[in-house]
Amino acid sequence: MATLAAWLAAERIAGQAAAGVAFDEAFCADLDDRLWEALRPATEWTNAFLLPPPDHAVALLAAASRSQSLADAFATNFSYPDRQWEILSSPEATARFIASHA
C-alpha cells in the first residue's frame, strides 16, 4: 500500500507541477480523496480481519476449508484487494461468492 500511495502521490505532484498549479489545500484534499479511493479496499479488508471478524467472514473461511476451488479463489484475491473487499463487505456478497464455488 505504501508503494502504491507513493506512486499515486508522485503522479499527482508531477502533474500539478507540470501544470504550474499551486500546491494548496484543494490539491491536498483532492490527493487525499484519490489515495483513499485507491487504498480503501485493502484497508477495510485488513481491518475486517484485525478486529474480530464478522460472522460472514468466518463462514467464508470455514467454507474455504472444505472447498479447494473456494480456497484458491479466496487466496488469489489477495492480489486484488478491491475484489476481496467487494466479497467481504457484506454477508450477501460473501454468500454469493461461496455459492459460486459450490
Side-chain angles (χ1 to χ4, degrees):
M1 286 178 46
T3 301
L4 176 58
W7 184 264
L8 293 172
E11 284 183 332
R12 298 290 296 160
I13 290 166
Q16 195 84 349
V21 182
F23 291 93
D24 57 8
E25 188 174 340
F27 168 80
C28 293
D30 181 63
L31 178 58
D32 185 56
D33 289 345
R34 290 176 185 269
L35 291 175
W36 181 239
E37 180 182 325
L39 302 175
R40 181 178 182 206
T43 302
E44 298 286 6
W45 170 42
T46 300
N47 286 342
F49 280 90
L50 289 175
L51 301 171
D55 290 342
H56 62 277
V58 174
L60 173 58
L61 296 175
S65 75
R66 297 184 301 273
S67 167
Q68 187 64 53
S69 69
L70 180 58
D72 290 344
F74 178 70
T76 296
N77 282 338
F78 277 56
S79 296
Y80 306 97
D82 54 329
R83 265 193 245 163
Q84 198 77 306
W85 179 240
E86 179 65 31
I87 292 162
L88 292 165
S89 64
S90 74
E92 297 80 17
T94 304
R96 283 192 301 275
F97 183 69
I98 293 169
S100 73
H101 292 87

